[in-house]
Amino acid sequence: MAFTFVAAVGNFAAGAGTTLDATASLNVADGDVLVAWAKHEGTNGTFAVAKTTGGNDFTFDAGDEMNHSNNDLNGSMGYLLSASADATFTPRLTTESKAFRALHVLQFRPNASETVTKDGSNKAQGNISGVSSGNITTTGTDGIAIGGFASYSSSVTETEEINGVSATSVADQDNCTAWYRIVTAGFTGAATASTGGGIEWICAAIAFKSEAGVVWPPPGSDNAPEKIRTIQSGLKW
């Protein structure tokens, strides 16, 4: 089996503020993978996502934050590799006081008892109609890949792809878009899209892979359970 897409939630706010809650909740199971794409306008700042009341905190790696050279358009991918069960998980984006904030949270379910790890990420900026995150190189044969786009003026993306293949689904919050694919082989490619014209934009891609846990000792080895022998002591008490 492969990853299963469960649901997506999000929100957008033009006015300045420090918190932005998704407009709906997710029914999260133990071990679910949650991926966030968030943006704001204004000078560089920090991103954090967790439940509105605390818990299930996301990781935002410094290398995944994209700050446009115009010093105004900012975005970042965040993730939670193994969430705790929560039937009413409402994500909240927290930043410094910023305007034109947007949030997407995508929920995926890996195979039970498998371990999920990050499998690559990249980011880019531009001001032309062709949008690309730049290539990522992944190795997972059971994985997900997510793309994110942000811009100005209620920008609309089209032909969203990952590694040249159409996205399975696309979520849009005004001038912020996220899309994904479930993948069954490693690849070197980018998250891409097109827009209606030359506008300033940022774009990111991130991928994750799910793998079975390591069995130790390996079956068939001298220390494997089927080969362990019982030694009876000759001592008498």
Side-chain angles (χ1 to χ4, degrees):
M1 294 177 62
F3 273 98
T4 301
F5 172 73
V6 181
V9 295
N11 200 1
F12 170 81
T18 59
T19 60
L20 178 67
D21 296 350
T23 57
S25 297
L26 298 171
N27 185 358
V28 175
D30 269 330
D32 280 358
V33 177
L34 305 178
V35 183
W37 167 239
K39 62 89 63 172
H40 67 71
E41 294 178 22
T43 55
N44 299 349
T46 58
F47 294 86
V49 172
K51 185 174 180 175
T52 52
T53 55
N56 270 333
D57 298 76
F58 285 51
T59 296
F60 282 83
D61 294 330
D64 291 332
E65 184 172 346
M66 180 72 251
N67 305 307
H68 197 285
S69 58
N70 64 13
N71 198 33
D72 182 63
L73 183 60
N74 307 276
S76 187
M77 288 286 190
Y79 57 89
L80 182 56
L81 293 179
S82 183
S84 298
D86 188 337
T88 58
F89 176 75
T90 303
R92 168 175 288 175
L93 169 66
T94 301
T95 63
E96 294 85 357
S97 183
K98 302 293 183 181
F100 296 99
R101 294 159 292 142
L103 171 68
H104 293 282
V105 175
L106 285 68
Q107 177 187 7
F108 301 91
R109 188 157 295 156
N111 295 337
S113 303
E114 292 199 349
T115 300
V116 177
T117 55
K118 187 178 177 182
D119 199 21
S121 62
N122 205 353
K123 62 193 181 188
Q125 61 176 295
N127 59 358
I128 59 175
S129 58
V131 173
S132 175
S133 64
N135 284 350
I136 59 175
T137 297
T138 71
T139 60
T141 57
D142 178 4
I144 49 176
I146 299 95
F149 162 89
S151 189
Y152 298 104
S153 304
S154 298
S155 307
V156 176
T157 56
E158 299 176 342
T159 60
E160 298 88 352
E161 297 180 342
I162 293 177
N163 191 34
V165 179
S166 295
T168 304
S169 183
V170 180
D172 180 67
Q173 292 288 343
D174 197 69
N175 47 20
C176 183
T177 309
W179 60 99
Y180 81 90
R181 278 186 58 215
I182 293 174
V183 295
T184 57
F187 67 88
T188 297
T192 58
S194 61
T195 64
I199 54 173
E200 294 173 312
W201 51 261
I202 55 177
C203 183
I206 195 166
F208 303 89
K209 61 182 177 181
S210 180
E211 298 175 298
V214 176
V215 177
W216 189 261
S221 71
D222 288 340
N223 292 323
E226 69 270 19
K227 289 198 174 184
I228 294 176
R229 294 170 295 177
T230 300
I231 302 176
Q232 295 181 343
S233 173
L235 296 175
K236 295 182 180 181
W237 300 92

